[in-house]
């Protein structure tokens, strides 16, 4: 019988106004990959924060038994000394420091006050090699992509002699090839005897790497499924997560009439804001109709976000040229305020960095893009602000005890709903959604898809940028494929497949 490396018994954790964990139990065997799944706000990350000492002993009830010993972790460093290392969803790397410096930050090599840089960079390259990174350890973090930054975090964990590696949404910001490489790396670690816990909303990844799956719903343990014993299908996992079967992942749109062109972009070219000789959007022309969802697909770095942000009041880029027409009229949107005034909205992919003020209440964030809607002159009507926030909380089914709660205390999926509410209250005619379901569960995704359908049924236009091909295919009326800053192809819903999207990308890379 396999050795139980970790047992969490009757874990209960309460925050003001909400019980996040209610008598949760978890057993993890040595050398297995154990997946934690559940809807946003179910308590998965909270449970791992208890395990890793983010929430220290005394702030929760229950026991942690690790490697046969009852543990009472006071902080992260305490748990890391035992070989428990957590990699959070938001990467904790400093852009203007090197890979080597980041890897040993807080875990410095050397004696007394002197850092041994030869040892630091030498060890960094040793651990980088183990995760397949070929860059120099002197390379700055800002000069490598998100996929490689994720590998730096894993190399950093190896440098701490990790025995139990916890990965919270490790592939949420990665494209399919980088995600597959990361999952294969986890399988390699497993073959070498490491134990992993993975939290992910990508259920295809769960069935690919996990030996066991523990489902958490509303802060309670629902069940644990074992590969080879229990049904391991995505439909079965969803049923455990949401308490019901979801017959169709993408709700159908009925009787939506596609109308006139609402936005036309012609010969749009954008250069990098710092490296002004580098073209990031190259002569792009697209159009969107009223009552239509247009998908923009492509690999990481294809220029999709750069295109969206540059259209939205030139929020990104330099030396922007081309023509933008809204409802047939040429416009020059000089900033975000101009864009909002012209009924254009952009829901950023970076909700925590660019979309929300985490230290402010839900009600404040909900009305940020349309303060005129809750103001009398220059004074905000607090009662109106509160009423609007409650209305959108109910409309989007946001899980929170009160709209007075800080957004930073919400789960990722509920933060995403507040971000959507902010832009819906601005009442745009054209809504650009950049990775609208990144890092959120299948139930919340379905609710957001229903919101998108409601918006186009009202005659609004939606542009959806997504790295998840099934999502683009399931929700779009038309799809533009981008590669290397250019439009590599345009596909109708009827002709679009994953293979055709990838063929567009590969053919444009060959210069065909």
């Amino acid at each position: 019988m396999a050795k139980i490396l970790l047992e969490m018994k009757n874990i209960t954790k309460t925050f003001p106004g909400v019980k996040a964990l209610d008598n949760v139990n978890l057993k993890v065997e040595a050398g297995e990959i154990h997946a934690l799944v559940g809807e946003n706000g179910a308590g998965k990350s909270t449970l791992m924060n208890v395990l890793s000492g983010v929430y220290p002993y005394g702030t929760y009830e229950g026991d942690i038994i690790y490697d046969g010993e009852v543990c009472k972790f006071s902080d992260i460093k305490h748990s890391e000394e035992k070989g428990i290392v957590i990699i959070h969803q938001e990467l904790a790397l400093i852009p203007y420091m090197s890979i080597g410096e980041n890897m040993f930050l807080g875990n410095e090599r050397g004696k007394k006050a002197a850092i041994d840089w030869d040892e630091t960079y030498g060890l960094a390259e040793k651990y980088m090699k183990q995760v397949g990174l070929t860059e120099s350890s002197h390379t700055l973090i800002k000069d490598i992509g998100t996929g490689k930054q994720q590998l730096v975090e894993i190399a950093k964990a190896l440098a701490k002699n990790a025995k139990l590696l916890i990965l919270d949404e490790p592939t949420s910001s990665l494209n399919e090839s980088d995600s597959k490489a990361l999952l294969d790396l986890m399988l390699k670690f497993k073959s070498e005897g490491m134990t992993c816990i993975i939290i992910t909303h990508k259920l295809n990844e769960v069935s690919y790497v996990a030996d066991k799956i523990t489902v958490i719903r509303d802060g309670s343990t629902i069940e644990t499924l074992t590969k080879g014993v229990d049904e391991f299908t995505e439909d079965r996992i969803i049923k455990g997560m949401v308490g019901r079967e979801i017959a169709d992942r993408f709700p159908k749109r009925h009787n939506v009439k596609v109308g006139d062109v609402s936005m036309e972009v012609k010969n749009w070219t954008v250069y990098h804001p710092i490296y002004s000789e580098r073209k990031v959007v190259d002569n792009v022309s697209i159009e969107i109709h009223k009552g239509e969802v247009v998908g923009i697909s492509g690999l990481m770095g294809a220029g999709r976000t750069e295109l969206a942000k540059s259209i939205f009041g030139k929020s990104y880029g330099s030396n922007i040229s081309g023509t933008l027409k809204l409802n047939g009229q040429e416009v020059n949107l000089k900033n975000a305020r101009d864009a909002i005034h012209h009924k254009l909205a952009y829901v950023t992919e970076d909700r925590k960095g660019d979309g929300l003020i985490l230290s402010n209440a839900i009600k404040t964030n909900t009305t940020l893009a349309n303060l005129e809607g809750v103001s009398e002159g220059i004074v905000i009507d607090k009662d109106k602000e509160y009423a609007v926030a409650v209305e959108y909380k109910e409309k989007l089914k946001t899980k929170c005890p009160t709209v007075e709660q800080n957004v930073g205390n919400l789960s990722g999926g509920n933060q995403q709903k507040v971000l959507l509410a902010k832009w819906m209250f601005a009442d745009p005619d054209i809504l650009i959604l950049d990775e609208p379901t990144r890092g959120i569960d299948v139930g919340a995704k379905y609710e957001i898809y229903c919101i998108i359908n409601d918006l186009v049924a009202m005659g609004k236009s939606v542009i959806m940028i997504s790295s998840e091909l099934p999502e683009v295919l399931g929700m779009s009326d038309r799809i533009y494929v981008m590669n290397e800053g250019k439009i590599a192809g345009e596909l109708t819903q009827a002709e679009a497949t994953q293979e055709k999207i990838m063929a567009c990308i590969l053919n444009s890379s060959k210069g065909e």
Side-chain angles (χ1 to χ4, degrees), residues 275-406:
Y275 307 106
S276 54
E277 74 288 346
R278 198 170 117 212
K279 202 182 282 186
V280 290
V281 177
D282 189 358
N283 203 35
V284 164
S285 295
I286 61 172
E287 64 177 35
I288 293 87
H289 295 252
K290 294 175 182 177
E292 185 181 40
V293 177
V294 172
I296 301 184
S297 184
L299 303 177
M300 284 283 183
R304 299 167 302 167
T305 293
E306 291 82 355
L307 172 65
K309 288 176 81 170
S310 62
I311 290 170
F312 182 68
K314 299 179 180 172
S315 300
Y316 174 92
S318 64
N319 195 19
I320 298 171
S321 61
T323 306
L324 174 64
K325 288 183 179 178
L326 299 177
N327 296 314
Q329 298 294 313
E330 187 173 337
V331 294
N332 178 22
L333 307 181
K334 295 173 185 173
N335 51 44
R337 182 186 288 273
D338 266 1
I340 295 167
H341 178 71
H342 282 85
K343 297 287 188 178
L344 179 63
Y346 170 67
V347 178
T348 175
E349 63 176 338
D350 182 6
R351 58 180 171 253
K352 292 194 174 183
D354 296 335
L356 298 166
I357 303 173
L358 299 182
S359 58
N360 281 15
I362 294 165
K363 63 176 187 179
T364 310
N365 278 276
T366 302
T367 58
L368 265 180
N370 183 17
L371 290 176
E372 293 86 353
V374 290
S375 300
E376 299 291 338
I378 60 169
V379 179
I380 292 173
D381 183 331
K382 293 293 183 183
D383 291 338
K384 203 168 186 181
E385 179 186 58
Y386 184 87
V388 165
V390 169
E391 178 191 340
Y392 279 94
K393 168 189 178 290
E394 291 169 357
K395 194 179 284 187
L396 274 64
K397 300 177 185 171
T398 309
K399 288 183 185 173
C400 60
T402 167
V403 294
E404 304 279 3
Q405 186 178 15
N406 280 358

Side-chain angles (χ1 to χ4, degrees), residues 51-299:
L51 172 59
S52 59
V54 173
Y55 300 134
Y57 179 74
T59 65
Y60 62 88
E61 297 169 31
D63 294 311
I64 297 171
I65 302 162
Y66 176 73
D67 208 7
E69 178 186 345
V70 176
C71 295
K72 300 176 179 180
F73 298 129
S74 56
D75 53 30
I76 291 179
K77 205 158 185 67
H78 192 181
S79 66
E80 287 181 347
E81 286 167 3
K82 295 284 186 183
I84 300 172
V85 182
I86 185 167
I87 299 173
H88 295 281
Q89 185 174 352
E90 278 77 33
L91 302 181
L93 299 172
I94 299 172
Y96 285 91
M97 290 177 73
S98 68
I99 293 174
E101 287 172 312
N102 271 279
M103 277 180 58
F104 290 97
L105 194 61
N107 184 26
E108 287 79 6
R109 308 286 95 180
K111 295 176 182 177
K112 296 182 182 176
I115 294 174
D116 186 333
W117 291 111
D118 290 338
E119 185 183 359
T120 297
Y121 285 112
L123 280 173
E125 302 219 347
K126 170 190 164 187
Y127 292 115
M128 287 165 66
K129 190 175 179 183
Q130 288 184 31
V131 301
L133 272 174
T134 56
E135 274 73 13
S136 163
S137 55
H138 292 269
T139 303
L140 298 184
I141 290 293
K142 72 177 184 65
D143 294 329
I144 61 174
T146 310
K148 290 182 177 178
Q149 288 181 21
Q150 188 69 262
L151 294 179
V152 170
E153 283 279 22
I154 294 172
K156 186 176 174 181
L158 297 181
K160 294 174 181 173
N161 299 315
K163 292 176 186 150
L164 172 59
L165 183 62
I166 306 162
L167 299 115
D168 191 351
E169 296 289 353
T171 64
S172 65
S173 300
L174 304 185
N175 61 34
E176 288 198 16
S177 59
D178 283 346
S179 296
K180 173 73 163 51
L182 181 58
L183 297 173
D184 287 339
L185 185 62
M186 288 178 65
L187 292 170
K188 172 177 170 279
F189 289 156
K190 174 191 163 185
S191 71
E192 295 166 355
M194 185 182 283
T195 308
C196 293
I197 297 175
I198 180 173
I199 298 172
T200 180
H201 291 303
K202 297 182 180 179
L203 300 185
N204 59 321
E205 296 179 356
V206 171
S207 48
Y208 180 64
V209 296
D211 300 298
K212 286 185 183 161
I213 302 166
T214 293
V215 180
I216 297 179
R217 190 194 317 147
D218 297 329
S220 300
T221 315
I222 300 301
E223 60 188 348
T224 295
L225 307 174
T226 303
K227 187 175 274 187
V229 177
D230 300 299
E231 188 183 344
F232 235 59
T233 63
E234 291 184 31
D235 287 341
R236 175 67 186 82
I237 299 166
I238 290 168
K239 187 177 179 183
M241 284 170 59
V242 302
R244 66 187 190 282
E245 292 182 8
I246 294 182
D248 193 342
R249 300 269 190 94
F250 304 101
K252 295 284 184 284
R253 286 195 291 279
H254 301 288
N255 304 319
V256 175
K257 293 179 181 176
V258 175
D260 297 334
V261 173
S262 58
M263 184 173 84
E264 185 180 6
V265 179
K266 290 191 82 173
N267 309 123
W268 198 258
T269 298
V270 181
Y271 288 82
H272 194 280
I274 298 170
Y275 307 106
S276 54
E277 74 288 346
R278 198 170 117 212
K279 202 182 282 186
V280 290
V281 177
D282 189 358
N283 203 35
V284 164
S285 295
I286 61 172
E287 64 177 35
I288 293 87
H289 295 252
K290 294 175 182 177
E292 185 181 40
V293 177
V294 172
I296 301 184
S297 184
L299 303 177

